Structure formats: C-alpha cells, structure tokens
Amino acid sequence: MTFFEKAERTRRWNLFTDIDWDAIDTAPPDPQLATNAETFCGVEMFLPDYLQTHLELFGRDYAQAWFAANWGYEESKHSLALREYLRRSGQRSEEQLHDYAGTVLSKRWERPYPSAREMLIYGMIQELTTFVVYRSQRTVAIETGHSVLADIYRLIGRDEMAHTKFYQHMVALHLDDDREGTLRDLAHVLRTFRMPAEQLLPDAEARTELMRSTGIDGRVYLRDIVAPTLTALRLTRHDLPGPRQAPPVEPSGLVLPTRTRE
Ligand SMILES: [Fe+2]
Ligand SMILES: [Fe+2]
C-alpha cells in the first residue's frame, strides 16, 4: 500500500500530457540516440515474458500478483514512450516500428535463474541498471539539445528507481528471513548478472558493439550498481560468500552505454 500510495500521489505521469511533444522538432535527429532508444524500447517490449515469469513464480500470492499488475502497467508505458519518440520525431516509420515489434517478440526471454529469490535479486539489479542507463542517456540527450527525449528518460528512470527500492525492500525481508541463503543468492546473481533480453534483439551484434564502445564497464557496474545495492541492504562486499569475496571487475555480457556520442 505504501508503494502504491506513493506512486499514485507523486509518480504517475501521462504519456500524452506530461511530455512536450510539440518541442520534438527543435533538435536535429541523432542516429545514435535513436538506435539506443530503439534498443531500450526493445528490451522493455519483452514485458509479456517478464510478467509471465513473475506470475508463475509469485502469482498465487495476491500482494505479489498485484505488484506484477501495477509494475506491468508502469513498464508498459516505457516502451510506448520510446516508441512514440521514434515515431513522432520521424526517425522510425510506423511500419518500421511495427516490424521491429514483431521481430522482437518472435524471440522469447527466459528467466535466467531458477528460484524466486534469485529472480527477486535479479529484478533488483536489473531495475537499478536500467535506471543508470536511462540517467546516462538523459545526460547525453540534454547535452545534445534533445529535451523531449531527456524528459522521457527522466520519467521512465524515476519509475525504475521506485522499482529498485521496492525490490530492495523485498530482498531485505529475505535477508531477515534467511540471511545465509539470501547472501549466497545475492553473491551469485551479482557475479553472473546480464541485462535482460538484449542479446535477443535484432542486429544484436551491432547494438552490442555500439554499446560496448561507450558501455557500463566493470568499474561503473561496481560503483553505480553493486556498491549502492550493498549499501541499501546494509551490507559490504565482505558479507558476500563464495570463492570470490566480490563480483568480478568485468561482468561478462554487461554491455550497456554510459554515453553514446564520443
Ligand atoms: Fe522499464
Ligand atoms: Fe522497472
């Protein structure tokens, strides 16, 4: 209820009235920003698979099912906002976007971990990673005069941060319940984390290459994702069990952009 109340009172936004679509033509199109927007739109479009997984794992608990429904509503606007940006800015046609959606959903995202607790931890890391990516894209958009896109990243990034905090609360409850087991799962997920679905997108290699050249590297992963997560859970890396006391410096497959214009 606290999550819902805060969302309703402070975080709801409207795709049609809270984005200044009239300002969209003031900056010349930027192909890299557009390709990245399309990529994130694609990652967000695996919503059916994310929801199905969540409901499979948690769906007979009403609170958890409710969270999935509300979360799904919020996430559903993220792909729509990016899609509308690409369409209204003229960088993608209706037909291209239609084909893209078809191609994206011709593949299926499978959950990367077997247990509910690992998936909760994965969700916590994935939401924060998405927030960090949107924050960096927003910075680039501001610097290049793309105020509408910057605004979209601000709105959807704020949702991702709210989701991050919700998952952090959930994981903290698991730590109270079974500290040893939860720490073991946390260490495992932090070591093996990959962003969802990216490798399933069309032209995966080109997208990966573009992102890798500007990407979140191991240092950023530790600084902006692992460290704040551990702090939020009142942990340090020394609490994490396993063969290594900390996640690897270079998480394999983490190929997300921090900037796109260098
Ligand atoms: Fe999202
Ligand atoms: Fe999210």
Side-chain angles (χ1 to χ4, degrees):
M1 285 304 284
T2 51
F3 175 84
F4 187 42
E5 183 173 4
K6 197 165 178 201
E8 295 283 299
R9 288 187 187 278
T10 66
R11 196 162 49 75
R12 289 287 173 252
W13 56 275
N14 185 312
L15 177 67
F16 306 100
T17 56
D18 289 331
I19 296 167
D20 185 9
W21 294 112
D22 292 340
I24 203 162
D25 289 322
T26 53
D30 181 309
Q32 283 196 347
L33 274 176
T35 299
N36 284 350
E38 185 187 61
T39 300
F40 304 132
C41 181
V43 174
E44 297 271 4
M45 277 173 54
F46 284 97
L47 186 61
D49 297 335
Y50 304 147
L51 276 174
Q52 195 169 2
T53 293
H54 193 102
L55 290 171
E56 269 169 24
L57 288 170
F58 305 109
R60 300 320 298 170
D61 174 308
Y62 183 77
Q64 291 278 14
W66 175 88
F67 180 76
N70 180 83
W71 175 88
Y73 161 70
E74 295 181 7
E75 295 292 354
S76 75
K77 294 194 296 185
H78 298 177
S79 52
L80 288 185
L82 292 169
R83 184 188 191 284
E84 277 304 286
Y85 173 77
L86 291 166
R87 189 180 71 80
R88 294 192 192 212
S89 66
Q91 296 181 87
R92 298 289 186 276
S93 68
E94 187 81 47
E95 198 185 358
Q96 283 174 318
L97 289 163
H98 182 80
D99 289 350
Y100 181 65
T103 312
V104 167
L105 284 180
S106 68
K107 301 260 181 69
R108 191 175 278 272
W109 175 82
E110 309 274 358
R111 73 177 196 242
Y113 299 98
S115 77
R117 189 168 63 194
E118 286 169 310
M119 284 306 297
L120 212 56
I121 293 167
Y122 173 79
M124 171 180 73
I125 303 300
Q126 182 262 322
E127 295 282 359
L128 183 56
T129 305
T130 312
F131 168 81
V132 169
V133 168
Y134 289 165
R135 183 178 61 186
S136 71
Q137 289 296 290
R138 178 171 175 245
T139 302
V140 179
I142 289 170
E143 286 170 0
T144 54
H146 294 84
S147 62
V148 174
L149 184 59
D151 241 25
I152 291 170
Y153 281 127
R154 178 180 62 81
L155 290 167
I156 65 183
R158 198 176 57 175
D159 286 349
E160 309 300 15
M161 180 49 80
H163 300 160
T164 301
K165 288 184 176 162
F166 180 85
Y167 279 114
Q168 285 172 349
H169 281 299
M170 297 294 292
V171 173
L173 292 175
H174 276 281
L175 279 167
D176 289 346
D177 191 46
D178 173 10
R179 187 173 174 86
E180 201 182 317
T182 305
L183 285 173
R184 200 172 49 236
D185 285 353
L186 179 63
H188 177 59
V189 174
L190 285 173
R191 281 193 199 104
T192 53
F193 176 78
R194 294 175 68 118
M195 266 304 275
E198 205 168 78
Q199 65 280 11
L200 299 176
L201 295 174
D203 308 318
E205 250 172 59
R207 288 176 202 282
T208 301
E209 202 39 57
L210 173 67
M211 291 183 174
R212 184 168 284 145
S213 65
T214 55
I216 291 183
D217 57 12
R219 189 181 57 86
V220 175
Y221 178 67
L222 287 176
R223 187 193 65 198
D224 289 355
I225 293 156
V226 175
T229 297
L230 294 178
T231 303
L233 297 172
R234 299 189 181 161
L235 299 170
T236 73
R237 65 195 179 89
H238 302 294
D239 292 310
L240 298 177
R244 281 173 289 199
Q245 292 299 303
V249 169
E250 192 73 40
S252 61
L254 193 84
V255 286
L256 292 160
T258 49
R259 293 177 57 88
T260 57
R261 292 190 57 79
E262 266 107 20

